[in-house]
Amino acid sequence: MSSLSRELVFLILQFLDEEKFKDTVHKLEHESGFYFNMKYFEDQVQAGEWDEVERYLCGFTKVEDNRYSMKIFFELRKQKYLEALDKNDRPKAADILVKDLKVFSSFNEELFKEITQLLTLENFRQNEQLSKYGDTKSARSIMLVELKKLIEANPLFRDKLAFPTFKASRLRTLINQSLNWQHQLCKNPRPNPDIKTLFIDHTCASSNGARAPPPTNNLLAGPVPKAGVFPPLGGHNPFQPVVSPSPSAIAGWMSSPNPSMPHAAVPSGPPGLVQSPGAAAFLKHPRMPPGVPGLEYQMGDSEHLMKRLRTGQSDEFDVLNHVVQVAFSSSAHPLNMYSPDDLPKTVVRILNQGSNVMSMDFHPQQQTVLLVGTNVGDISIWEVGSRERLVHKTFKVWDLSACSMPLQTNLVKDATISVNRCIWGPDGTILGVAFSKHIVQIYTYNPAGELRQHLEIDAHIGGVNDIAFAHPNKQLCIVTCGDDKTIKVWDAVSGRRQHIFEGHEAPVYSVCPHSKENIQFIFSTAIDGKIKAWLYDCLGSRVDYDAPGRWCTTMAYSADRTRLFSCGTSKEGESHLVEWNESEGAIKRTYSGFRKRSLGVVQFDTTRNRFLAAGDEFQIKFWDMDNNNILTTIDADGGLPASPKLRFNKEGSLLAVTANENAIKVVANHDGQRMLRMLEGRTFDGSRGFSEAANVKPPFAGSLGHNVSSPIQPVLERAERMQTPLSIGNHATAESSKMADIKPRILDNTDKIIAWKFPDIKESTQLRAIKLPDSFTASKVMRLIFTNSGLALLALASNAAHKLWKWQRSERNPSGKSTASIMPQLWQPPSGAPMSNDLNDAKAAEDSAACIALSKNDSYVMSASGGKVSLFNMMTFKVMTTFMPPPPAATYLAFHPQDNNIIAIGMEDSTIQIYNVRVDEVKTKLKGHQKPITGLAFSKTLNVLVSSGADAQLCVWNIEGWEKRMARPIQTPPNHSAPLVGETQVQFHNDQTHLLVVHESQIGIYDSQLECLRLWSPRDSLSAAISSAIYSCDGLLIFVGFCDGAIGIFDVDGLRLRCRIASAAYIAPSLSSNSNVFPVVIAAHPTDCNQFALGMTDGSVHVIEPSDGEPKWGGPAPQENGSLPSIPSNSALNSQPSETPSR
């Protein structure tokens, strides 16, 4: 079948799903074999509809197709068999055995005999392997987990598990476009043609009347040249539209959707076909200017018309407009009753800030409280009503010792610093300040006007150009962007970095977080004019569009978060204010009224879901959102700079605007003036706060849960005027000559620098730890790994034996995942024989290198202990094959990320062999080390293999042609002689670009060019040599083992020690004093970021997690005077001049 015919099938599937032809949908899925509906399959399995399950499955695979298919059918028929036995329906069970299960006897006779013997048992649970079988519902759920893995791994289902990406009602849209085109070709097109059939082409009958007005090209209807505005069929029987929420608000912006990301068009509910993307409502109800007649079916059904009125479909200019006279322009947005008189126009306050204002923001609840940041790093909080400055903070670094060396050096050379952006948090209990050099400072604030230090983050190299708050996963986060071309997301409580988004090719100028129908994302703009959008994952940007002007652009939503606007200025001074069609990624409206050459970067703001305002030509310009032309202008009684900065309060009753002479003017409308009159003359009472003020809503809880209190800072007035400091990008604006240059102090002697006090865990009561049961001979653990499912833990001992511990599902542990609260079982196959590696007769097993690698689906493990490399079946513990007899012996194994049949094998002779298991052939041999290979790590993002050896060297290999890109010795820590030697391990971070390097002398974070970004070496309370280290599953922590038995838990950002665990906390007292007992290897749990396991020199294995009272390791540093330590950025390495223009 051709690709177009295949796509037609998908369009039909979508149409059938929208029209609720459920049975027909699944019949077509089965017969075409193009799309396997996993949700439907799961529902049928859970319902026990075994005949339908197999019928549906047979549309995609047969029993004998491959081993995955065989396993799928076997599991289904076995479950059906066990359910019959559980109901004591032995005749039915025997029938299933003969008709359904006997086919598998030719593949595994022993298994079939064992299944047959279940008929002889009074209760099949008497069989040891079925003793944990629960009820039918739970058994089906457990089986489904396994079936989904098998289906996803089965090559026959490749590209059939995800529904293609296209808009809802696509078939209707194509029909509409066809009818539009047919109507366009009519010789005498009628304004309201009567279309009664799709079976023949449409033609309009001859008419003596005038020719219909020319059709308007509807940009939202699709790329049909000169198409008429034909309202879609979706509004009429039998094509009723299916209106459903958009799973992805930015789907329409994606020019090349990432195939690795689950498609937004596949909904969570049955039957699992496409639901409407964001643009669907526009496609079904295109907006048209008045006077352009729409083409529509003529229907006399008044009930249908009233139904469309009730469902809000009167916004399209159609037959309803002949019935109901609409007095306002057709619009998808609700009628707004505000008038231009509601705009703030009267100057009511002039505040003297004392230095040039760079950023302002009104409090989200206290309507007259204004936050201000200046060009000398000061921040102030004003109560506009009483004209009081509640808080004034001059800039200083809270903890200079915690800052990166580039920042410290930069501040010593030039202490001038500017506020680039200051902003309130969503509920006003927190505020953030972004500075022109590296750092962000976060304060907590209470309604009494008290400000307290909370976080200082060394966030970016160069300037931090914007800051915003967001709520991904219902957790308050800080979003920043900077001159280093990155966007970063930080936890607002701990300051820990959660995400880093890389992809811009120029400094990032602004960020705009947003959520739409539970989809959280971030828009970002860079000074090369690129707009990108990011979900909170590591899959790259979803948008790459050019902003008008292609320079400095900011984006903002209307107050109701439904309309998206941007304002930008080009390098030539041309300013552009536009509204975006968010679903299409296209400009929907361009507002006129700017001068040809703006003197500076124009800023803008929105208010009341109705008005836009921008500072230009020494005045404030206003627009109605629904009108391209300028509405009105004001000059605020004069004295404004060329491009004044401005900010509305939440209700739009006040507008703050920067003025000359370091002043701020506040203009108000009637409501704002009335509110300020009520507050006039009141002095600010800290005990009363604003509880009695007219502009205050009920008290609100702090988003961070802190009870903040500190004395109010006195108002500081600055009379002196000094030379202009360096702007961020040396792009001086017209008003820059008025800037003051007041160099702040770096440290104030009265402010105490708080040292990070990490928790020191010395007792077993301070954590949860278990020593796993072991009936085998004790032998040093050489390798340790969790299964990818997190349900089991696999160890390889120095005697070449493997041990597997499994956690059982229970009421206390329904998921069956590993935990330190429940003791697992040491699993053994029915034969009782352990899974053991081949040994080298010429060398004792204890003296041989051990290596292990697990397949992605946990089905196979590859392992070696000095002899041949063995491939084991994890379900049976049986050896499937062996290969690569020594010498040389294998020392490290790693599966290729794209092909489980390709394995990189590090060898004792310092080479790396690329081996294809399927054809039993060494494809190539890599040479670059001088000593045995001790570590291998693949990066899918960089398309490289990184190797490390006992020579303490790192090599990077291109996995396309396997040529060596570069080689470098690891960095030598202070007080160590060079060159280093000894076992070196490597592991890529979740971002697939940063590399953890582990040596007995250090842990280090390296970039893709093998440059050491951060390094930590043993010292103080952790002075013993490092034995092993590994990233946590979320990439935020590093677990480090030491040769004295201690464990260190470090933050990835800055390699700051969060927690130290003494050996006495998890080792029995009789052994903890023995310095020979320590962790040889550490394994991190694949889904629990705080759980890890230790493989010890005495052969024991321990699983460790935080105590119930402390869900995370370490927790934040103790507060003193309200300050917290700064968090250095992982990229804060080199200071660089900013390329970003001053705001």
Side-chain angles (χ1 to χ4, degrees):
M1 184 178 286
S2 69
S3 70
L4 287 180
S5 298
R6 177 187 171 91
E7 290 179 3
L8 179 58
V9 172
F10 282 113
L11 293 176
I12 296 169
L13 283 172
Q14 183 197 55
F15 172 79
L16 293 173
D17 180 54
E18 292 173 341
E19 295 300 315
K20 309 301 181 187
F21 295 114
K22 302 296 186 184
D23 294 337
T24 311
V25 166
H26 305 309
K27 181 75 172 176
L28 181 55
E29 290 168 353
H30 161 260
E31 290 190 347
S32 67
F34 290 158
Y35 172 61
F36 184 83
N37 192 324
M38 186 70 81
K39 184 65 173 64
Y40 174 70
F41 178 75
E42 290 177 15
D43 290 343
Q44 296 304 305
V45 170
Q46 289 285 19
E49 299 291 343
W50 304 116
D51 291 342
E52 172 59 17
V53 167
E54 286 213 17
R55 184 200 67 80
Y56 186 75
L57 198 59
C58 286
F60 303 87
T61 184
K62 301 293 188 292
V63 175
E64 66 278 3
D65 282 345
N66 57 41
R67 55 193 176 89
Y68 298 104
S69 300
M70 184 180 296
K71 177 68 173 170
I72 292 168
F73 280 97
F74 174 75
E75 290 296 329
L76 288 169
R77 295 175 183 182
K78 182 186 74 174
Q79 180 63 29
K80 182 168 62 168
Y81 176 65
L82 293 178
E83 288 183 16
L85 289 176
D86 204 25
K87 295 175 182 176
N88 208 22
D89 190 347
R90 298 190 181 276
K92 182 177 180 181
D95 188 58
I96 294 170
L97 185 69
V98 173
K99 292 182 178 179
D100 295 334
L101 289 170
K102 189 171 177 59
V103 66
F104 301 104
S105 63
S106 58
F107 301 99
N108 193 327
E109 184 69 29
E110 291 183 6
L111 180 60
F112 182 72
K113 289 179 180 178
E114 190 174 357
I115 291 175
T116 304
Q117 289 173 0
L118 297 179
L119 279 170
T120 65
L121 300 178
E122 184 176 344
N123 187 335
F124 64 82
R125 293 174 180 83
Q126 294 171 348
N127 181 288
E128 183 180 355
Q129 294 187 43
L130 297 173
S131 60
K132 300 297 182 180
Y133 185 94
D135 58 17
T136 298
K137 184 177 180 181
S138 62
R140 289 174 181 172
S141 298
I142 293 169
M143 178 188 65
L144 269 173
V145 173
E146 179 66 19
L147 290 180
K148 288 176 70 176
K149 291 181 180 178
L150 291 168
I151 290 170
E152 290 167 359
N154 195 328
L156 293 177
F157 288 84
R158 193 167 296 151
D159 302 327
K160 296 181 180 180
L161 298 178
F163 203 85
T165 303
F166 53 89
K167 297 175 182 177
S169 304
R170 179 62 182 161
L171 190 57
R172 294 187 185 93
T173 302
L174 293 175
I175 294 173
N176 289 333
Q177 291 173 349
S178 172
L179 291 174
N180 270 326
W181 185 253
Q182 293 170 29
H183 185 61
Q184 182 75 13
L185 298 177
C186 289
K187 294 182 179 179
N188 298 291
R190 296 172 54 191
N192 295 293
D194 185 8
I195 300 178
K196 296 180 179 179
T197 181
L198 298 177
F199 294 158
I200 58 173
D201 288 350
H202 160 71
T203 56
C204 290
S206 299
S207 172
N208 295 326
R211 185 176 177 85
T216 302
N217 184 25
N218 186 345
L219 296 178
L220 294 175
V224 180
K226 300 181 180 180
V229 223
F230 183 77
L233 297 169
H236 304 277
N237 291 323
F239 301 100
Q240 285 296 331
V242 179
V243 181
S244 54
S246 164
S248 173
I250 59 173
W253 289 63
M254 300 182 190
S255 56
S256 55
N258 192 323
S260 64
M261 178 187 172
H263 188 256
V266 181
S268 57
L273 283 177
V274 177
Q275 295 195 22
S276 171
F282 295 105
L283 287 168
K284 288 192 286 289
H285 311 296
R287 291 181 287 165
M288 290 163 286
V292 180
L295 191 64
E296 175 134 26
Y297 292 125
Q298 300 301 304
M299 302 184 64
D301 189 348
S302 60
E303 181 179 348
H304 174 67
L305 297 181
M306 292 307 296
K307 179 180 178 182
R308 294 189 58 191
L309 277 174
R310 289 195 299 270
T311 55
Q313 297 182 9
S314 60
D315 57 342
E316 56 179 81
F317 192 86
D318 58 8
V319 68
L320 294 183
N321 290 19
H322 299 286
V323 181
V324 181
Q325 295 298 319
V326 181
F328 55 89
S329 174
S330 173
S331 171
H333 306 289
L335 180 63
N336 198 315
M337 300 308 295
Y338 293 121
S339 73
D341 293 335
D342 292 310
L343 290 170
K345 296 179 181 178
T346 305
V347 177
V348 291
R349 295 289 186 272
I350 300 177
L351 309 175
N352 182 18
Q353 177 59 36
S355 50
N356 190 268
V357 176
M358 302 300 293
S359 179
M360 301 177 292
D361 194 28
F362 274 101
H363 194 280
Q365 298 193 17
Q366 300 170 7
Q367 297 292 305
T368 58
V369 173
L370 179 66
L371 171 65
V372 178
T374 75
N375 69 311
V376 295
D378 297 350
I379 61 167
S380 299
I381 299 178
W382 291 87
E383 168 39 53
V384 174
S386 62
R387 298 180 175 85
E388 283 187 275
R389 180 148 50 182
L390 308 179
V391 176
H392 182 82
K393 294 277 188 184
T394 56
F395 172 76
K396 68 177 180 182
V397 177
W398 301 344
D399 188 355
L400 187 61
S401 63
C403 294
S404 63
M405 286 306 300
L407 175 56
Q408 294 186 43
T409 304
N410 198 318
L411 290 172
V412 170
K413 290 181 179 178
D414 181 10
T416 57
I417 197 165
S418 171
V419 172
N420 278 347
R421 181 73 185 274
C422 57
I423 187 172
W424 290 102
D427 61 3
T429 61
I430 186 173
L431 63 90
V433 187
F435 292 94
S436 59
K437 292 179 181 175
H438 291 252
I439 64 173
V440 165
Q441 291 181 344
I442 308 297
Y443 292 86
T444 54
Y445 176 82
N446 70 12
E450 296 169 338
L451 200 61
R452 194 173 189 182
Q453 296 173 1
H454 173 58
L455 288 172
E456 186 174 66
I457 305 173
D458 192 344
H460 294 270
I461 301 171
V464 184
N465 297 324
D466 202 3
I467 183 172
F469 291 93
H471 276 95
N473 303 318
K474 300 181 180 179
Q475 178 185 15
L476 184 64
C477 292
I478 304 158
V479 182
T480 63
C481 66
D483 287 346
D484 57 4
K485 307 174 186 177
T486 65
I487 301 100
K488 298 181 182 180
V489 181
W490 314 84
D491 185 288
V493 177
S494 66
R496 183 183 299 172
R497 197 192 76 205
Q498 295 181 329
H499 301 278
I500 179 170
F501 303 122
E502 298 174 308
H504 277 292
E505 297 178 357
V508 185
Y509 184 72
S510 70
V511 289
C512 179
H514 187 53
S515 64
K516 191 163 187 177
E517 295 168 11
N518 298 321
I519 304 297
Q520 303 275 345
F521 56 92
I522 302 168
F523 283 117
S524 63
T525 68
I527 64 170
D528 60 359
K530 290 294 183 183
I531 297 175
K532 293 181 181 290
W534 318 79
L535 297 177
Y536 291 84
D537 54 25
C538 298
L539 300 179
S541 68
R542 305 310 206 278
V543 166
D544 189 356
Y545 279 81
D546 291 323
R550 299 194 178 187
W551 198 41
C552 299
T553 299
T554 55
M555 306 184 80
Y557 277 88
S558 57
D560 60 6
R561 315 294 287 171
T562 61
R563 302 177 71 174
L564 178 63
F565 302 89
S566 74
C567 183
T569 303
S570 71
K571 291 181 180 180
E572 293 75 28
E574 296 180 354
S575 294
H576 305 267
L577 178 61
V578 301
E579 181 180 4
W580 290 89
N581 184 325
E582 186 184 8
S583 301
E584 296 289 334
I587 293 174
K588 179 175 171 182
R589 179 180 283 107
T590 299
Y591 299 92
S592 61
F594 289 104
R595 65 177 293 164
K596 292 184 178 180
R597 293 290 183 268
S598 298
L599 299 177
V601 177
V602 172
Q603 290 195 359
F604 86 115
D605 201 3
T606 72
T607 186
R608 298 199 174 199
N609 303 317
R610 173 71 186 276
F611 299 114
L612 300 168
D616 184 44
E617 289 189 273
F618 307 94
Q619 58 188 348
I620 305 165
K621 299 179 178 180
F622 296 97
W623 290 264
D624 185 305
M625 289 181 178
D626 294 321
N627 194 317
N628 299 5
N629 298 318
I630 197 166
L631 181 64
T632 187
T633 63
I634 62 170
D635 64 0
D637 298 339
L640 301 185
S643 299
K645 301 169 179 65
L646 48 81
R647 193 73 171 174
F648 284 105
N649 68 349
K650 185 176 181 180
E651 294 179 353
S653 58
L654 301 178
L655 175 65
V657 57
T658 56
N660 295 331
E661 305 298 331
N662 301 326
I664 302 168
K665 290 189 176 185
V666 180
V667 294
N669 62 10
H670 296 306
D671 292 338
Q673 293 178 58
R674 185 165 54 250
M675 177 173 62
L676 293 181
R677 280 196 296 270
M678 295 176 65
L679 295 170
E680 192 113 33
R682 293 192 182 188
T683 57
F684 182 76
D685 184 347
S687 62
R688 181 188 65 198
F690 290 88
S691 60
E692 300 174 22
N695 68 324
V696 178
K697 298 182 180 181
F700 48 90
S703 60
L704 299 173
H706 294 304
N707 183 14
V708 291
S709 61
S710 65
I712 299 175
Q713 299 293 323
V715 175
L716 302 180
E717 300 297 339
R718 299 183 183 272
E720 58 269 22
R721 306 260 303 281
M722 303 181 69
Q723 186 179 356
T724 304
L726 292 174
S727 65
I728 305 177
N730 298 323
H731 296 273
T733 57
E735 67 264 41
S736 64
S737 60
K738 298 183 174 63
M739 294 183 181
D741 182 11
I742 304 170
K743 295 189 177 182
R745 295 168 297 161
I746 298 301
L747 291 173
D748 191 328
N749 293 332
T750 61
D751 290 304
K752 182 178 178 182
I753 296 180
I754 308 304
W756 180 272
K757 299 176 182 177
F758 59 85
D760 200 355
I761 297 176
K762 298 179 179 179
E763 300 179 4
S764 60
T765 56
Q766 295 175 275
L767 48 68
R768 285 192 298 183
I770 56 171
K771 179 181 177 181
L772 304 192
D774 190 354
S775 57
F776 292 106
T777 304
S779 184
K780 180 168 69 173
V781 179
M782 302 296 290
R783 292 288 181 259
L784 187 67
I785 186 171
F786 280 98
T787 58
N788 295 295
S789 64
L791 304 177
L793 185 62
L794 178 65
L796 173 59
S798 60
N799 62 1
H802 298 79
K803 302 172 187 178
L804 181 68
W805 289 272
K806 291 184 177 181
W807 277 259
Q808 301 298 315
R809 288 182 172 87
S810 64
E811 290 185 3
R812 290 181 59 197
N813 186 23
S815 67
K817 291 192 175 180
S818 65
T819 171
S821 302
I822 299 173
M823 197 66 72
Q825 294 180 359
L826 181 61
W827 190 83
Q828 299 181 38
S831 64
M835 188 164 62
S836 296
N837 280 332
D838 177 66
L839 297 175
N840 186 350
D841 296 334
K843 197 172 186 179
E846 287 74 10
D847 299 329
S848 300
C851 49
I852 193 169
L854 190 62
S855 65
K856 294 176 184 177
N857 59 7
D858 295 334
S859 297
Y860 308 104
V861 63
M862 195 163 291
S863 183
S865 297
K868 296 178 182 178
V869 178
S870 301
L871 180 63
F872 295 92
N873 185 314
M874 281 285 285
M875 301 178 72
T876 64
F877 267 29
K878 291 182 179 180
V879 179
M880 300 179 66
T881 185
T882 60
F883 51 92
M884 289 227 172
T891 56
Y892 206 91
L893 299 166
F895 281 100
H896 192 288
Q898 278 92 35
D899 188 348
N900 265 347
N901 292 297
I902 304 295
I903 307 160
I905 306 177
M907 308 300 290
E908 198 173 28
D909 66 352
S910 78
T911 64
I912 303 164
Q913 300 195 20
I914 307 303
Y915 180 77
N916 189 317
V917 179
R918 185 187 292 115
V919 297
D920 189 20
E921 181 181 61
V922 175
K923 291 294 186 182
T924 188
K925 186 180 291 187
L926 312 180
K927 297 180 180 180
H929 289 272
Q930 305 302 316
K931 292 191 175 184
I933 304 300
T934 57
L936 295 170
F938 281 99
S939 168
K940 291 185 290 186
T941 300
L942 301 176
N943 216 30
V944 299
L945 168 69
V946 174
S947 61
S948 60
D951 54 2
Q953 295 278 328
L954 303 175
C955 292
V956 180
W957 312 86
N958 189 327
I959 63 177
E960 295 292 341
W962 298 110
E963 68 274 7
K964 185 164 69 173
R965 285 189 180 178
M966 66 184 77
R968 186 168 297 176
I970 66 173
Q971 185 164 314
T972 304
N975 304 321
H976 281 73
S977 58
L980 297 174
V981 293
E983 181 173 326
T984 308
Q985 305 159 18
V986 288
Q987 181 195 3
F988 271 106
H989 186 267
N990 293 349
D991 63 13
Q992 293 286 292
T993 57
H994 292 92
L995 188 72
L996 172 64
V997 176
V998 184
H999 184 266
E1000 63 178 8
S1001 68
Q1002 64 180 273
I1003 55 172
I1005 306 294
Y1006 287 67
D1007 65 13
S1008 59
Q1009 300 302 311
L1010 299 186
E1011 294 288 345
C1012 183
L1013 306 182
R1014 293 183 297 287
L1015 184 144
W1016 184 94
S1017 57
R1019 58 181 179 269
D1020 302 330
S1021 60
L1022 292 172
S1023 57
I1026 295 171
S1027 60
S1028 181
I1030 193 170
Y1031 280 119
S1032 62
C1033 63
D1034 60 3
L1036 299 179
L1037 301 174
I1038 300 175
F1039 304 120
V1040 185
F1042 293 85
C1043 290
D1044 61 356
I1047 306 297
I1049 301 175
F1050 293 78
D1051 269 320
V1052 170
D1053 287 322
L1055 294 183
R1056 187 189 299 276
L1057 180 63
R1058 289 185 63 83
C1059 178
R1060 175 187 176 274
I1061 303 174
S1063 59
Y1066 67 94
I1067 299 177
S1070 60
L1071 297 174
S1072 60
S1073 59
N1074 185 351
S1075 60
N1076 292 325
V1077 178
F1078 61 87
V1080 180
V1081 60
I1082 297 184
H1085 193 277
T1087 58
D1088 186 340
C1089 58
N1090 290 290
Q1091 184 186 130
F1092 59 91
L1094 307 174
M1096 310 294 289
T1097 52
D1098 64 353
S1100 61
V1101 174
H1102 302 261
V1103 175
I1104 299 177
E1105 23 181 67
S1107 65
D1108 292 331
E1110 295 288 342
K1112 296 182 179 180
W1113 294 113
Q1119 294 190 42
E1120 188 170 337
N1121 294 331
S1123 67
L1124 285 174
S1126 68
I1127 312 295
S1129 165
N1130 71 331
S1131 57
L1133 304 172
N1134 300 296
S1135 180
Q1136 61 186 32
S1138 171
E1139 304 172 39
T1140 313
S1142 176
R1143 288 180 176 273

